[in-house]
Amino acid sequence: MQDVVLALLAKEPAHGYELRARLQHALGPLGDDLNAGQVYVTLRRLEKAGLVTVRLVGQADRPDRKVYELTPAGQERVARWLADVDRATRPAPTDLYLKLVAAASSGLADPVDVVDAQRRELLRRLADVQRAALAQPAGSGPALLLEGAVLRLQADLRWLDACAAHWADRPRG
C-alpha cells in the first residue's frame, strides 16, 4: 500500500481523501472494501519515514487540509518499486495492477515496460518448471504438481498479455 500511495503522489501532491478516491477508482468494485483509515495510517507512516512532507492548506468553513508531497527519498523509492520485478513470489493480480496504475498516473514508468519485465521473469520461471517437470516420471505426484505450476504460469502470462494490450493504448501521466 505504501508504494502505491507514493506513486500516486509522484504525479502531484494530494490530500488523503483524494488519494483514497483515486485508489477506489483504480480498483473499481474491489476498492469498495478499502478502509479510509488505512490510507491515513499509511500517510502518517510515510511522513515518519521521511518519504513525504505535509503542508496545511487553509479552507473556508473547514479545518485546514493536509496536503502530502513526495520528498526526494520518496521519489527514489517509487522509482525502485516500479522497476522491481517480483522474483521471489507470484504477485497477486491486484498488486501488479496497482503498480501499473501507479506507473501510468505518476509518469515515472511505462506500464507496458513494467508488464514486459514481469513477463520475462515469468517466462524464466516457466522454463525452469517445465525442465523440472520433464525430469519427473509420468503420472507421478511431483509431475502433477509441476503441471499445476506450469498451468498457473501460463495463465499469468495470458493475463500479462491482456494487461499489455490494455495499457498500450493509454497515454502516460
Side-chain angles (χ1 to χ4, degrees):
M1 174 70 131
Q2 288 186 1
D3 294 315
V4 173
V5 169
L6 286 171
L8 291 175
L9 286 171
K11 181 178 182 183
E12 61 191 355
H15 54 84
Y17 180 82
E18 187 177 13
L19 290 169
R20 181 173 181 252
R22 286 185 202 169
L23 282 168
Q24 285 182 306
H25 176 74
L27 290 171
L30 296 176
D32 292 344
D33 294 333
L34 184 63
N35 180 340
Q38 187 177 5
V39 172
Y40 293 102
V41 167
T42 299
L43 287 166
R44 281 192 294 279
R45 287 180 181 158
L46 293 171
E47 181 184 9
K48 285 181 182 179
L51 300 171
V52 299
T53 58
V54 179
R55 67 182 156 84
L56 295 177
V57 175
Q59 302 184 100
D61 302 327
R62 292 184 180 168
D64 291 346
R65 174 175 278 169
K66 289 183 176 183
V67 175
Y68 297 85
E69 187 170 359
L70 285 184
T71 64
Q75 285 277 359
E76 185 179 313
R77 178 164 161 180
V78 169
R80 277 194 322 266
W81 175 67
L82 290 171
D84 183 46
V85 175
D86 187 356
R87 289 177 171 82
T89 61
R90 184 174 167 259
T94 303
D95 294 343
L96 181 58
Y97 175 76
L98 284 174
K99 184 183 273 194
L100 298 175
V101 167
S105 71
S106 69
L108 295 174
D110 184 340
V112 175
D113 291 343
V114 174
V115 169
D116 288 343
Q118 192 66 39
R119 180 185 292 111
R120 284 189 299 275
E121 177 59 21
L122 288 182
L123 287 169
R124 184 195 62 74
R125 285 189 217 168
L126 179 60
D128 289 347
V129 172
Q130 287 173 326
R131 273 192 298 277
L134 289 172
Q136 298 302 313
S140 70
L144 180 62
L145 177 61
L146 290 167
E147 180 183 354
V150 166
L151 292 171
R152 288 191 67 161
L153 288 165
Q154 289 171 338
D156 288 346
L157 287 164
R158 283 192 303 276
W159 183 70
L160 287 178
D161 290 342
C163 288
H166 174 82
W167 291 104
D169 298 332
R170 300 221 169 359
R172 288 177 56 188

